Amino acid sequence: MQPFADRRALLSARMQQAGGGVAVLLTAPEVPRNRDSHYPYRWDSYFYYLSGFAEPEAALVLVATEQPRSILFCRSKDAEREIWDGFRIGPQAAAERFGFDAAYPFDALDEELPRLLADQPAIYYAMGSDSALDGRIRVWLDAVRAQARAGVSAPARAFDVRALLDEMRLIKDASEVALMQRAASISARAHVRAMRATRPGRREYQIEAELLHEFRAAGSQYPAYSSIVAGGANACVLHYRDNAAELRDGQLLLIDAGCELDGYASDITRTFPVNGRFSGPQRALYDVVLAAQRAAIEATRSGATFIAPHEAAVRVLAQGMVDLELLAGSVDGLIESGAYRRFYMHRTGHWLGMDVHDCGEYREPGAAAAGDGERPWRVLRPGMVLTVEPGIYVRAADDVPAEFHDIGIRIEDDAVVTEGEARIITADVPKAPDDIEALMRS
């Protein structure tokens, strides 16, 4: 529990630097799937980041004073409900096991919050994230203001606690990186399993089942996101979801899938031939994307900007589009005009962490706008984790060489920024064409 306690202490310290106050974070609610059935429960990332507490109906309150306190509100012990729904840790055991200064029943939240907010200068919460929470905050503040004649004052300022937490979560500590490496290793084994299971005549969902089997068998609790298993032209749909088509000889299969382990995501994409051998045109396009990814990984370094890997990848991709006669013109002209976006329409990466598209600004917070009216891009620092995922997506069209029709290729890895070269934690999945073909032959 020490990393969670350290994060609570750091948040309290940053709140004190701004004058102190009280932070209130509620976990996610349970969500019904249909009658008398719920979706598998997944807590709120901000709440869990500070608490390590996984039960629903819970709240964390941090009182940032010279002697900061952390208080948990959680479900009371209930023998009857535990028969139906499972074990509840209860407030007393939660305080002891998770290192909180105090713990109360969740039902006491509305009674205790006005007391905790009394005479505090500010309140921190996820502003605007949930209308029900916004309403409860107003009720608590009104209850404090009602004591004005007794000399009690309500917080005069309100801040979005996520602004502080986003900056904290953006830099992963050693325990987080180790956990993300474990998640990445599980996902890598799943991708290898899927490659070995792929052959003409199987359906996309059968390959998805291979991924899910490996995720769960290795201890992952959930997929980090809905897996994309896209054969042939389906790979040109960036967020393809059906996963139902038959895989045919001569097609490529794009798999974008990763597991979540103890709250941390992994994110891998590989593209490979259904029959185990790349055709000439497939190999030509694949080599361009692989070269673009290598250039982007080389640009993923401490001190570089977040956009640098994307710019490196785009230059290689644009050159490849010219060489393969997908586009005509100069590389600089295609980049300046944005014409390359016909075949490559997304960024080369995103932050990765507790959420697969993790929190944190991509431009420097608080920096002055440049001449173009936009703030400068974020500078990469050790401990940041991001994906590197260039691609090419060629839909059938009269002005496109027929041999490239309906080919979609993406190659994605997870990179940890270090003082030197980026550490690729998903490197256990082959991506060189010869290595892919050798694996599928085996």
Side-chain angles (χ1 to χ4, degrees), residues 221-266:
Q221 293 85 1
Y222 319 100
Y225 52 96
S226 297
S227 301
I228 298 171
V229 183
N234 295 335
C236 294
V237 180
L238 298 184
H239 291 161
Y240 176 71
R241 294 184 177 91
D242 288 349
N243 294 359
E246 182 180 350
L247 301 176
R248 301 187 181 278
D249 192 19
Q251 289 181 333
L252 293 179
L253 177 60
L254 184 154
I255 296 179
D256 187 338
C259 74
E260 179 181 298
L261 179 67
D262 295 345
Y264 284 82
S266 55

Side-chain angles (χ1 to χ4, degrees), residues 107-326:
D107 292 343
L109 187 64
D110 290 332
E111 178 182 354
E112 293 294 330
L113 253 295
R115 299 177 187 174
L116 294 169
L117 289 169
D119 294 324
Q120 292 292 334
I123 182 170
Y124 292 75
Y125 69 103
M127 300 174 68
S129 64
D130 177 54
S131 58
L133 174 60
D134 290 339
R136 295 183 81 174
I137 295 290
R138 287 194 296 269
V139 171
W140 297 335
L141 292 176
D142 286 344
V144 180
R145 295 184 184 112
Q147 305 173 61
R149 291 186 179 182
V152 177
S153 63
R157 295 175 296 158
F159 298 99
D160 195 328
V161 70
R162 294 170 297 184
L164 295 176
L165 287 172
D166 285 354
E167 291 300 297
M168 291 171 57
R169 285 176 55 186
L170 190 56
I171 306 295
K172 276 63 177 178
D173 61 31
S175 67
E176 291 177 288
V177 172
L179 195 49
M180 294 184 73
Q181 176 66 78
R182 289 173 54 202
S185 296
I186 293 171
S187 295
R189 292 198 297 273
H191 275 261
V192 169
R193 180 188 181 107
M195 286 181 180
R196 286 179 169 148
T198 297
R199 56 184 176 272
R202 301 204 76 185
R203 303 195 80 87
E204 292 164 344
Y205 58 74
Q206 292 177 298
I207 307 305
E208 180 184 14
E210 301 287 346
L211 297 163
L212 298 177
H213 175 94
E214 191 66 32
F215 290 168
R216 198 70 185 101
S220 161
Q221 293 85 1
Y222 319 100
Y225 52 96
S226 297
S227 301
I228 298 171
V229 183
N234 295 335
C236 294
V237 180
L238 298 184
H239 291 161
Y240 176 71
R241 294 184 177 91
D242 288 349
N243 294 359
E246 182 180 350
L247 301 176
R248 301 187 181 278
D249 192 19
Q251 289 181 333
L252 293 179
L253 177 60
L254 184 154
I255 296 179
D256 187 338
C259 74
E260 179 181 298
L261 179 67
D262 295 345
Y264 284 82
S266 55
D267 191 358
I268 303 175
T269 305
R270 290 293 186 269
T271 310
F272 54 92
V274 169
N275 64 12
R277 291 191 63 84
F278 288 93
S279 70
Q282 290 170 349
R283 178 74 176 255
L285 280 176
Y286 189 93
D287 285 343
V288 171
V289 178
L290 184 59
Q293 198 209 30
R294 287 171 175 159
I297 289 174
E298 175 63 26
T300 305
R301 292 176 173 271
S302 178
T305 62
F306 170 79
I307 202 63
H310 177 70
E311 292 174 338
V314 164
R315 182 157 292 277
V316 175
L317 291 170
Q319 182 65 64
M321 292 172 195
V322 172
D323 294 342
L324 296 176
E325 299 183 354
L326 291 173

